[in-house]
Amino acid sequence: MRYAILGDIHANLLALEAVMTTAKARGVDRILSVGDVVGYGAGAREVMDILRDNEVPTVLGNHDAAIAGDLDTTFFNPMAKEAVQWTQGQLTEGDLDWLHELPLLLHLDGCSVAHGSYSDPDLYKYIQSTEDADPSLDLQPEKVCFVGHTHVPVSILRMQDNPERSFYTMDEQVDLSLVDKALINVGSVGQPRDEDPRAALGIYDTSTQLFELLRVEYNIKLEAKRIEASGLPKMLADRLFLGV
Ligand code: ZN
C-alpha cells in the first residue's frame, strides 16, 4: 500500500490540487489527512469537497474542531479567530456536521494518524522535541504515526537495536525497515512554516517501508489573491509567500 499523507491543508485549494496531482503521479493507493483541513485559507468548501470526493480519511484538527463549534477559541490568535468565524459563515450545516464527526485518531494498515500527538489527541499539544514525542511513541500501536499541527516536517525515531533512545531527523527520506517506532510530522500543504513556501506532502510505501517528504510548487500568487478577495486578513495571504 502506498499512502500520501497530507498535513494542515488549511483551506488552500491550489496547494491541495498540486499535492493531489503529485500523489496520483506517484501511484499512491490511498490519501490520508492529519487534520486542520480548514481555517486560514479561502477554499474551505472546495477543499472539503475534494477530500469527500476522494474518500480521504481525516482526523480532527484544532481548527476543524473550533469551526465545528467543538473547541473554545480563547487561546487562538486574533487572525485565527477571525478565520474561524469567516469559515463558519461559508459552510453548510452538512459541512459542519462532517467536521464534527471527524475522529481524533485513525488506525490504518500499518500506521496511525493524529493531528498533534497520539498520546493526547484532544489537547492539541505541539511536538517540538523528542521528549514531547515520547508519550506518543510509547503508546502508538503501529510502527508509524503521522501527525501535523506544527506545520514543520520532522521525523522522531526509535531504532530496533536501541528502542530506549528517541532522536529526530529532518531527512526527507527515512527508511523505516530498521525502525521500532516513528512519529512523523508531514509538514503542511496549505501553510508551511519552515520558510519553504512550497506545499508539503508525505509518501509512505508499506511494502518497502520507505517514507519520503516531497515539496511541490503551486500558484501562490493566485491563492493569495483568493484570500485577499475573500475579506480574510491580508496577512494570511502574505505569509504564504514566505512559508511562515
Ligand atoms: Zn494547523
Side-chain angles (χ1 to χ4, degrees), residues 8 10 36 40 62-63 115 149 151 193:
D8 296 78
H10 281 298
D36 270 5
Y40 291 135
N62 52 318
H63 288 256
H115 183 63
H149 195 41
H151 301 206
R193 294 181 190 160

Side-chain angles (χ1 to χ4, degrees), residues 43 57 97 102 135 166:
D97 286 347
L102 292 177
S166 310

